[in-house]
Amino acid sequence: MKSIENGNYGDYGGQYVDPRMLPILEELETSYKEYFSTEEFKKLYTHYLQDFVGRPSKLFYAENLTKKLGGAKIYLKREDLNHTGSHKINNTIGQILLAKKMNKKHIIAETGAGQHGVATATVCALFNMKCTIFMGAEDIRRQYPNVRRMQMLGAEVRSVTRGLATLKEAVDEAIEYLMENMEDTFYLLGSVVGPHPYPEMVRELQKVIGEEAKKQIKEKEGRLPDVLVACVGGGSNAIGLFNDFLEEDNVEIFGVEAAGKGIETGEHASAFANNEPRGNTWNENIFVSR
C-alpha cells in the first residue's frame, strides 16, 4: 500500500473531518510536500538525525534470545537507543522543522504513554518553541515520570478529564484547540492516524527505520530477512520498519496487536485484526502482509 491517491492507503484513510479543519489540512499538505522535497530540508533533517538523535540506530543480533527460542536468528532494531528513548524523535524532528518553515509559533501534541510527548517537548526545547501536550488524566496518573520529563523540558501538560480520560480524548481536545487557534498553532501528531496528510507525513519521517534496517541486515547476513515483526499501536514504528520492504515478495511482514481479553470480547486494543480480511492473511492478533 505504498501508493496514496486522494489521501487513501488502499481502503483506509481520507479526510473525514469538521469542515473547519480543511483549510488547516490543505495548508499542511501543500507545505509539507513542497518543503520535504527541498535540499534545505533533507540536509537539516539528516543533520539532526545524525548529530542530535544519534542515527543510524543499531541492528543488534540477539544471540541469547535466538538460542532460547531455538529457531531463526533474531535481530533487534534498537530504536530505544535514540535520544529520548524511542522512535518518536524521528518524526518530531521533521515536523518541527516544517512548523518553523510555516512560521508557526506554538506546538501542540497528544500523548498516551508519554513517549511522543517527551519527544515533542524535547524538540520544542531545542528550537525554543512554545509547547503544549494534551494528555488524558488517567494516562497522566499511570505515566507520571514522563509527565515530569515533559514539564522539565518546558512543556505545559494539559490534563483531559472527559470520557475515559485517555489518548482518544487527548486527540479530540488537541484538534479542537487547533481549530480555534489555527493561525499560529501547529499540531505535531505522533502516529499514522488522523486525517490525510498526517499518516503519509509520519510515514515519510519514520521510513528511515526500515531503510537503515535493510542496509544493515544485508551487511550482516548478505541477504534480506525472512520475516519482519513490529508491534502495532499508533502504527508509526511499524510503518517505519515495514515501508522499505513492502515490495519484497520474499519477506513476510507481521504486525502484532494487543488482543487484551480476546478479539471476540471487544476488550482489546486491536485496530485491524478484528476486521474482515481483504486479500491478506489474518490470524487473531497478527496481521500478515504478503
Side-chain angles (χ1 to χ4, degrees):
M1 294 194 297
K2 292 182 79 170
S3 61
I4 302 171
E5 186 175 349
N6 298 322
N8 292 323
Y9 288 77
D11 294 326
Y12 302 96
Q15 289 182 332
Y16 301 94
V17 296
D18 187 308
R20 292 176 295 166
M21 277 290 289
L22 291 176
I24 299 171
L25 296 173
E26 289 169 2
E27 179 191 25
L28 179 65
E29 181 176 13
T30 299
S31 299
Y32 120 73
K33 287 188 172 179
E34 288 179 355
Y35 186 47
F36 279 21
S37 64
T38 66
E39 289 303 315
E40 174 191 354
F41 172 78
K42 293 174 184 177
K43 184 176 179 179
L44 283 171
Y45 185 54
T46 300
H47 161 68
Y48 284 109
L49 287 184
Q50 291 177 349
D51 294 346
F52 185 71
V53 176
R55 302 205 72 89
S57 64
K58 303 298 183 182
L59 187 68
F60 175 70
Y61 172 49
E63 184 175 1
N64 292 339
L65 185 58
T66 296
K67 289 178 179 178
K68 182 177 178 63
L69 296 180
K73 293 180 73 174
I74 298 171
Y75 284 86
L76 305 177
K77 183 63 170 155
R78 295 295 306 276
E79 291 298 293
D80 58 305
L81 298 180
N82 293 335
H83 183 34
T84 72
S86 80
H87 66 291
K88 293 293 188 180
I89 194 75
N90 305 324
N91 174 55
T92 59
I93 282 286
Q95 285 201 47
I96 203 163
L97 289 172
L98 176 61
K100 284 176 63 65
K101 189 68 174 180
M102 295 172 67
N103 200 33
K104 302 296 185 179
K105 307 298 184 185
H106 184 192
I107 304 298
I108 65 170
E110 86 298 333
T111 197
Q115 289 285 11
H116 176 59
V118 169
T120 300
T122 299
V123 296
C124 287
L126 176 65
F127 290 102
N128 195 30
M129 296 181 73
K130 182 181 178 182
C131 180
T132 302
I133 307 294
F134 293 88
M135 192 171 188
E138 180 62 18
D139 288 331
I140 288 176
R141 183 187 65 80
R142 292 185 296 199
Q143 303 290 346
Y144 193 70
N146 279 335
V147 174
R148 288 295 299 134
R149 292 177 71 190
M150 289 180 258
Q151 292 171 335
M152 289 170 66
L153 287 160
E156 174 194 3
V157 180
R158 291 201 183 182
S159 177
V160 179
T161 57
R162 66 189 185 185
L164 296 176
T166 55
L167 182 60
K168 177 182 177 296
E169 288 77 25
V171 172
D172 290 344
E173 197 138 328
I175 289 175
E176 289 175 10
Y177 183 93
L178 176 65
M179 289 190 293
E180 295 170 1
N181 300 273
M182 65 178 68
E183 292 301 321
D184 71 339
T185 301
F186 184 97
Y187 183 12
L188 204 163
L189 205 154
S191 302
V192 281
V193 299
H196 178 74
Y198 278 110
E200 179 183 6
M201 184 167 61
V202 174
R203 190 273 312 264
E204 285 301 298
L205 295 172
Q206 292 290 5
K207 69 181 183 180
V208 64
I209 301 171
E211 291 171 347
E212 289 178 2
K214 179 180 277 190
K215 179 180 178 181
Q216 290 167 325
I217 196 65
K218 285 181 177 179
E219 291 173 349
K220 290 178 180 291
E221 294 289 339
R223 67 180 183 90
L224 295 178
D226 297 312
V227 174
L228 295 179
V229 180
C231 61
V232 178
S236 59
N237 160 69
I239 196 61
L241 177 63
F242 297 163
N243 184 74
D244 217 48
F245 293 87
L246 291 176
E247 303 301 322
E248 303 291 348
D249 293 336
N250 295 323
V251 179
E252 289 190 290
I253 298 176
F254 291 77
V256 182
E257 296 192 283
K261 295 182 178 179
I263 297 299
E264 70 284 353
T265 69
E267 296 183 18
H268 57 79
S270 171
F272 295 100
N274 58 325
N275 294 329
E276 288 296 319
R278 301 188 182 190
N280 299 291
T281 301
W282 299 77
N283 178 19
E284 285 194 350
N285 63 330
I286 298 179
F287 167 40
V288 187
S289 174
R290 300 187 184 277

